[in-house]
Amino acid sequence: MRSSWFNKLFIKIGSRQPVSRLILCLIILLALIAIFGSSSVGIIDPAAHVPASLIYTNYRRIKEQAAVDYLELRSVLVSAAGNRELNLCSKESENFVPCYNVSANLLAGFKEGEEFDRHCELLVGTEKCLVRPPKEYKIPLQWPASRDIIWSGNVKITKDQFLSSGSMTKRLMLLEENQIAFRSEDGLIYDGVKDYSRQLAELIGLGSDKEFPQAGVRTILDINCGFGSLGAHFSSLNLMAMCVSGYEVTGSQVQLALERGLPAVVGNFVARQLPYPLFSYDMVHCAQCDIIWDEKDGMSLIEVDRVLRPGGYFVLTSPNSRPQGSSSREKKRNMLTTMGDLTQQLCWILLAQQDETFIWQKTADVHCYASRKKHAIPLCKEDDNDQSYYQPLVRCISGTSSKRWIAIQNRTLELSSDELNIHGVEPEEFSEDLQFWRSATNDYWSLLTPLIFSDHPKRPGDEDPLPPFNMIRNVMDMNANYGGLNKALMEEKKAVWVMNVVPTGASNTLPLIIDRGFPGVKHDWCEPFPTYPRTYDLLHANGLLSHLSSERCTMIDLFLEMDRILRPEGWIILTDKLGAIEMARSLASQVRWEARLIDLQNGSDQRLLVCQKPFLKK
């Protein structure tokens, strides 16, 4: 039983207002607009007597208010038309990621690797429906149990595919009935992932892998991460390892990693850049990642250089995995020769080599590029911090004139005032933002706790009780701003990781988020997010709805995408102005969410909408 204060706080969606009353309100609203619009004729423009900064502020406020009024008007029309629950999609869409349709891309004329890239422009007239879970789907286990055991019915991998994945993988995982179990403590994974991690640490001059932060290594990009074994180990060391891999119809590495509660995103750089800004990672790791680095004039290696921070490390293990047959040694020798030439042009040094593992270090000296031989890889004319999603690969070295050129060994855990100034952010504003999110995070957790843990009330003296079936591990902040929610959750030591998303069209704060050591991408919310269905436990959006004014998509399109990437029994927290929240509450019933409206009772026009996605069983 919920307490009386809780019942008063949460207001469930009630019955609809009569259509005639809504239409009457609409007529009155339009009449008022006409009256005030006509009365403005002949009034002297006071702009000449107002400072320019105030004019800009007022213009921005009027523009934002117009967007909210538009949403309120649409909310009335939607309610008057009635809310109809959307149907379920066909079975074929259970594990499908939109924008990655190789067959459609080939028909559209894409080739030379571009057919494997993201092409959302081909999504025309897609059906509005809810992606159904597989018949065998079960709610994931709670973290950290999910790191070691997942339900096999939750991922697109068959028993035959699993058994044919190689002897190393068989030692990595066990298939027991309807579970896939990952051995993480017995030292058997990946012929010893712990030993491999310690080997990498020793090769860069450290005593153990626990000392990676001392060398400036806190964030790692794991290319084609397999089943996420290295990322799982790094998570136990409080290192953030992001898995990136191309879309796969079956046996997806990204889907498997996210199911385990590990950061991952769909992406490849066959023809386009990764969805990360300049200087995003301290280490880039590739173990049998199936990429031929010396092809296309080394453009893939140049892309690694773009996302690698000054002084960062590139780890390449088993570079001869592709060449086969009697000539494999010769092919390997030729590739390493080409790699040696390319890395010299990039101002990398071969730091260490042991067996099949090579470690290069990117220069921390920006003057190195001036001392290279002639006809070396040119420097880019402009930095690409403001570029949008998935730009074409370029054959030039980025970032040599960037103010963010700071060696990883010189970075601190917290951004200094000078670093904030580089991003155009005042320290006072940054501090106020963090204080806000500290308070908001505590409020969110207090609101969600009685809902998630209603069957397991807290005992006196206990911390947050363990959830019976639901867990919150994979969190997405859909309008992350400075990454304040991520930081507040870290300070509270919540066992979550956050995908920080900066919407296109918003102020590009992604480089700042990356410099804080948080994962993030830039994304257009009028397009599907590059992840598999059912891969996030909590979606958070502050102020996103009222800024969704593009004619290319509507709020229902956004909600359908949120429903696709949200796990059954997952949660949505929306904070916005009253008009946007009212419309969201009306549309929530169409996607079958249970929605609760919360008045913040602070005198503002902000409202909070907490929704839960049901588990629609077959």
Side-chain angles (χ1 to χ4, degrees), residues 385-401:
N385 288 352
D386 293 328
Q387 288 187 352
S388 58
Y389 212 34
Y390 286 127
Q391 293 293 308
L393 290 175
V394 294
R395 196 180 186 277
C396 61
I397 299 174
S398 303
T400 56
S401 60

Side-chain angles (χ1 to χ4, degrees), residues 143 147 228-241 261-263 473:
W143 176 270
R147 180 182 58 195
S229 308
L230 189 63
H233 175 66
F234 280 152
S235 70
S236 66
L237 302 176
N238 294 321
L239 301 175
M240 195 284 293
L262 304 172
R473 168 63 183 173

Side-chain angles (χ1 to χ4, degrees), residues 32-43:
L32 288 173
I33 293 174
I35 292 171
F36 286 111
S38 62
S39 62
S40 63
V41 178
I43 296 178

Side-chain angles (χ1 to χ4, degrees), residues 251-287:
S252 166
Q253 302 171 68
V254 170
Q255 187 185 40
L256 205 62
L258 286 164
E259 189 68 23
R260 298 183 65 183
L262 304 172
V265 68
V266 177
N268 57 44
F269 44 102
V270 176
R272 300 191 185 186
Q273 293 180 355
L274 295 170
Y276 308 117
L278 196 68
F279 307 152
S280 288
Y281 292 95
D282 306 317
M283 176 183 284
V284 177
H285 175 263
C286 160

